[in-house]
Amino acid sequence: MSGKILYSYTGIFDTPDQIIHAAEKAVEEGYTKYDVNTPYPVHGMDEAMKLKPSKLGYVALIFGLSGTLSALLTIWWMSAINYPIVIGGKPLFSFPAYVPIMFEVTVLSAAIMTVVAMLFFFFKLPNNSHPLHGTVYMKKVSADKYGISIQADDPKFSESSVRKFLESVHAAEIIPIYWDEEEINHQNKIFEPKFIVFLAAVALITSGVTYFSFNKLMYMVPFNWMMDQPKLSAQQSSPIFTDGFGMRQPVAGTVARGYMPYQFKGQSDIAGAKLINPIPVSKESLALGKTKFDIYCSPCHGYNADGASRLRGQFPNPPSLHSDKVRTWTDGRIFAVITEGQNIMPSYSSQLSVDERWAVINYIRALQRALNAKESDVQ
Amino acid sequence: MSSSSVEYHKKELPSKVRTIGTALFAAGLIIVALGYVTDPVRSAYNNIVGLTFLISVGVGSLFLLALEYVAGAVWSTPFRRVTEFLAANIYLIPLIAIPLLLNVNTVFHWTHPDPADKTMINKAPYLNVTFFIVRVVAFWLLWLGFYYFISKNSVKQDASRDQSLSKLNIKLSTIFIPIFAITISFAAIDWLMSLSPKWFSTIFGVYYFSGTVLAALAAGTIFIVLLNEKGYFVKGLSSDHYYSLGALLFAFTNFWAYIAFSQYLLIWYANLPEETIWFIARWQGSWKFISVGLVFVHFVIPYFGLLSQPSKMNPKRLLTMSAWILFAHYYDLYWMTMPNFGKDGVVLGWMELGFPLLIAGLIMLVFNFKAKSQNLVPIGDPKLKRGIDFRL
């Protein structure tokens, strides 16, 4: 054994009672750098070795609570601040609806972080070699024996005294464990070919099963029954109604809430005479009008409503809105054109709500005033 | 190893158990009597809280007893008698139920349905006085029957050490558990849910069941810890036994919260008037504070009180938390019942004290009475030795 360094003295026992006794005695003797190896967790060992309770519980607690908190803050920010949508008439901040998610995130983050902390912090995972690996001692204690290993760097260690101690607690076998310089600095490779093949196999099986279940299994009986549901989809016919249509017309003579039908279809002059702009000119209305004008009107009429747009030359030239004709039109007359379209211009009633159309008109008026200012504007 | 090797010397309970029990019982009885004279309707509602609480402790204990047999649990055998003594409260259910049955018309509005009210007329085949009393009696007889035979076998085993009695009890328990599941659900519907007869919640039976088990566990734990600390059991019961009791209490605290929240969330989400009415009634005036308080009393405080491992092993903490959980269950039943009486705000006065005192006294007296004639440890049970040696 020359050139070898003594790592520890190990004792092997036949029964769990003996190993507990040995651990108790080791504590009494004052050994600090020792460990016990058993094939399964032996009850009462923590107490015998006077181990402090694991700190792992705190990891679970801290990460569990931070999971709760981050879930709460995330949902609150998403559904009440960043993208507020009223769902089911509930307030934007609906705590009861958050609870299941908070619970799930708590469990998830506590569980994952407990495992990660256990592997990398408590088990020091990338470190995958140990002097006891591959020894006869380890083979025995991982099958049917119970062992104690007292390390040579223990301050109380001396070969004779430890041997005497192990004999005094009736060890069935006493084995010294040696290692050498090379072994001390040895690290097993993490990416062994076997491991890589294992990873690849897992990836292959997972993706194969996923592909099979999403693309094949779902189309087999009985799973494909879910695709045929007795519900009504939009644009589908339905045998329930005598006319065979699935979608219904509004009840005759009714108007949907918050919606005013356009009364002057094909009568733009009457509309011009009768419709009055209900939206007063204001900063907000002009801002809204500019936004909508820039989106929907400017591609043809140009940003300044002078007809100078990027489409000029490709179509019959779109007219300037600064002509005398448009300037003398009433707001209602312009409204009629936006609503119904004119010549090559289509209707914009589905893109622009009634209020938005009036806001666009306010903005057009402002553009017109900018080119044809009155004396009073200068002052 | 034969169970005869367990050393057990029976110690009589101190006389103060009887003294305190009698005092509580007498005080409770006087308050209840005065209450029934001054305000019979309010007293009848209090009576429901008291009765359901007694059912919780009595029938819940019988369930725990059956569970031990069915699961083949070993760790709870050394103090199984405590659970048996608590289950003996089933005998007293009629004592608390009779004043209520005399007032059945004032408390349960389904007893006199409005003929124009179609919903109530449709519910009448189930909710009528005759069938109600039939159910109450039938359930009580079932509970009593199973209690009688299971505890008789258990006591007989003390002397005969006959292992076949354990097998017999396992059979009885196996039959009892499904019966328990059905009877306790319907008892919850009859006594508590039918107080607002138009309201319904499909999870209500489970909700009451979770409280039942919690109350039975808490009541048992109080006696177990007190008796064990004073050395009334056999030697060798360790913190592992305490830990298991604490873990069960903790688990059922969470289970209760899970069920309670499930009930609330679904009703809150769907927002259907016929379902929300129950929670709206518990949000009127000062009931709001009782409702919010329930979350803390029944979940948050016991949860953090029992969360850490040492707190489940510490007898003092376990005792405090068990007493608290027992109180929380009474609070829960009060919260379920009393808003049907005081619709505008919390009803709390000397009258509400009557039934808790009366029932606490009754439980102590029953326990004392049973402990006189029976051993506190089932010395004939073949599992006893292993139960004492139980380590986590």
Side-chain angles (χ1 to χ4, degrees), chain B residues 13-332:
Chain B
L13 290 190
S15 60
K16 68 178 176 188
V17 177
R18 215 184 76 183
T19 324
I20 296 172
T22 318
L24 288 175
F25 177 72
L29 196 63
I30 292 168
I31 298 175
V32 167
L34 276 177
Y36 259 114
V37 171
T38 44
D39 193 343
V41 180
R42 182 169 161 184
S43 292
Y45 276 106
N46 274 314
N47 203 334
I48 289 197
V49 185
L51 174 69
T52 44
F53 185 76
L54 191 71
I55 293 178
S56 290
V57 173
V59 185
S61 294
L62 183 55
F63 168 70
L64 291 177
L65 198 56
L67 203 59
E68 188 198 301
Y69 278 113
V70 170
V74 163
W75 65 275
S76 57
T77 306
F79 38 79
R80 193 184 65 220
R81 274 294 143 73
V82 171
T83 323
E84 279 178 42
F85 293 173
L86 287 174
N89 285 298
I90 294 174
Y91 276 118
L92 301 176
I93 290 174
L95 190 71
I96 310 292
I98 283 169
L100 192 51
L101 290 176
L102 295 176
N103 285 288
V104 75
N105 286 308
T106 54
V107 182
F108 296 109
H109 296 303
W110 47 259
T111 50
H112 39 80
D114 178 2
D117 193 337
K118 254 191 133 177
T119 319
M120 290 319 300
I121 296 299
N122 285 336
K123 287 191 176 198
Y126 181 82
L127 287 179
N128 60 68
V129 180
T130 324
F131 191 31
F132 179 77
I133 291 175
V134 168
R135 283 194 305 267
V136 168
V137 174
F139 291 173
W140 178 63
L141 287 177
L142 275 170
W143 296 332
L144 192 66
F146 278 99
Y147 165 71
Y148 178 77
F149 287 111
I150 291 179
S151 80
K152 198 178 99 180
N153 289 338
S154 169
V155 172
K156 224 200 269 175
Q157 205 175 34
D158 276 10
S160 72
R161 322 231 154 181
D162 182 2
Q163 300 204 5
S164 65
L165 289 169
S166 281
K167 281 199 170 158
L168 195 60
N169 267 358
I170 291 172
K171 268 183 203 148
L172 281 173
S173 304
T174 316
I175 304 167
F176 172 70
I177 283 182
I179 291 177
F180 166 79
I182 294 165
T183 51
I184 205 77
S185 302
F186 279 98
I189 291 168
D190 287 349
W191 290 115
L192 294 167
M193 200 165 108
S194 79
L195 286 170
S196 19
K198 287 197 178 176
W199 180 75
F200 55 89
S201 161
T202 46
I203 207 173
F204 197 80
V206 186
Y207 179 73
Y208 178 62
F209 159 76
S210 63
T212 298
V213 179
L214 205 47
L217 268 173
T221 308
I222 291 176
F223 280 106
I224 290 163
V225 173
L226 281 176
L227 290 175
N228 191 40
E229 291 302 305
K230 302 241 164 80
Y232 282 86
F233 292 132
V234 282
K235 271 190 193 143
L237 296 193
S238 68
S239 58
D240 293 341
H241 291 92
Y242 284 161
Y243 179 82
S244 305
L245 283 168
L248 265 182
L249 278 170
F250 183 70
F252 270 93
T253 298
N254 282 296
F255 181 64
W256 177 89
Y258 179 75
I259 299 298
F261 181 72
S262 300
Q263 172 170 289
Y264 177 75
L265 182 75
L266 292 197
I267 290 174
W268 172 85
Y269 237 130
N271 211 6
L272 300 172
E274 66 267 32
E275 291 180 349
T276 50
I277 182 165
W278 197 75
F279 283 106
I280 288 170
R282 276 147 193 79
W283 206 250
Q284 297 300 316
S286 41
W287 282 117
K288 202 181 292 177
F289 303 109
I290 299 286
S291 298
V292 174
L294 182 68
V295 179
F296 290 90
V297 170
H298 212 308
F299 176 61
V300 178
I301 292 171
Y303 179 85
F304 285 103
L306 287 171
L307 181 62
S308 75
Q309 194 192 26
S311 67
K312 297 186 190 90
M313 295 176 164
N314 179 346
K316 228 178 209 163
R317 174 74 74 91
L318 200 56
L319 197 62
T320 323
M321 286 332 292
S322 304
W324 181 266
I325 287 171
L326 211 53
F327 161 70
H329 183 59
Y330 201 90
Y331 183 106
D332 185 23

Side-chain angles (χ1 to χ4, degrees), chain A residues 237-287:
Chain A
S237 63
S238 162
I240 294 174
F241 304 107
T242 45
D243 61 2
F245 287 103
M247 292 166 84
R248 304 279 81 203
Q249 296 286 338
V251 177
T254 58
V255 171
R257 264 185 105 123
Y259 172 77
M260 204 56 191
Y262 184 60
Q263 304 167 28
F264 305 104
K265 208 163 182 189
Q267 300 167 306
S268 44
D269 287 328
I270 302 175
K274 291 208 170 163
L275 277 178
I276 294 157
N277 188 344
I279 309 282
V281 178
S282 65
K283 224 174 162 179
E284 289 78 33
S285 145
L286 285 177

